[in-house]
Amino acid sequence: MDGRHPALARLDLLVGRWTVQPKVDGLGSAWTEFAWQDDGLFLRQFTDAEPPPPTAPQAWRDHAPFPTVSLFGLDDATEEFTMLYADARGVHRVYRMTLADGEWRIWRHAPGFNQRFHGTFSADGDTVNARWERSEDGRTWDLDFEITYVRAAQAGM
């Protein structure tokens, strides 16, 4: 990864395997793994989970996206990241992202379905408490769901 843009080093904080727990009654956890590819030019995220249990809300059972894949790249002029997302439902989206000073932000503006994510890293970098919000008009935002990422122990990997 010699010669890569220094802003890409900010994404090193994500590298590894994480347990992902949406704060939704009746919903189990998932896992996600971040890994560098193409000699550190892009970061790939793969997420998967067991099918939602019968206790999960119907909307989650009907729209479970797993597995999902995201690819992160850098715009070196703005030092902002782009996230390409695709999932098992056939959904494809493009997001913008920043990661700096313990704050992880992802957003997308699309007609009728705007989204934004805000995550805060713990002091040790091993936990992220976050929330996804949605908006139809881009002005009035509603909580979609809260979510926690916990880094998997190295010995358990």
Side-chain angles (χ1 to χ4, degrees):
M1 289 194 266
D2 293 335
R4 74 175 178 166
H5 193 282
L8 287 166
R10 282 185 256 153
L11 300 182
D12 286 338
L13 184 59
L14 294 170
V15 172
R17 190 174 177 110
W18 301 74
T19 298
V20 182
Q21 181 63 60
K23 294 180 184 173
V24 176
D25 287 338
L27 197 60
S29 63
W31 63 269
T32 192
E33 189 162 7
F34 293 88
W36 288 108
Q37 69 175 50
D38 298 310
D39 295 323
L41 296 177
F42 299 98
L43 186 69
R44 181 180 185 267
Q45 178 187 14
F46 180 82
T47 305
D48 206 355
E50 294 296 322
T55 56
Q58 189 66 45
W60 284 85
R61 288 182 295 174
D62 291 345
H63 303 288
F66 302 111
T68 71
V69 177
S70 297
L71 189 64
F72 302 87
L74 175 70
D75 181 335
D76 64 356
T78 63
E79 294 194 7
E80 195 172 78
F81 299 97
T82 297
M83 177 179 126
L84 301 176
Y85 168 93
D87 68 32
R89 302 169 297 178
V91 171
H92 297 267
R93 296 186 178 145
V94 178
Y95 294 87
R96 303 298 291 169
M97 185 186 95
T98 58
L99 181 61
D101 303 320
E103 299 289 322
W104 182 13
R105 296 184 183 273
I106 302 169
W107 65 94
R108 122 185 223 275
H109 302 289
F113 190 55
N114 300 281
Q115 293 175 283
R116 66 185 183 190
F117 169 95
H118 178 235
T120 303
F121 282 84
S122 62
D124 64 6
D126 288 340
T127 303
V128 180
N129 288 306
R131 62 191 288 129
W132 275 100
E133 297 176 330
R134 64 182 184 277
S135 172
E136 290 182 15
D137 61 13
R139 293 182 304 274
T140 304
W141 291 88
D142 295 311
L143 176 66
D144 198 358
F145 59 94
E146 294 177 300
I147 189 166
T148 300
Y149 292 73
V150 178
R151 189 181 306 276
Q154 294 298 321
M157 292 178 65

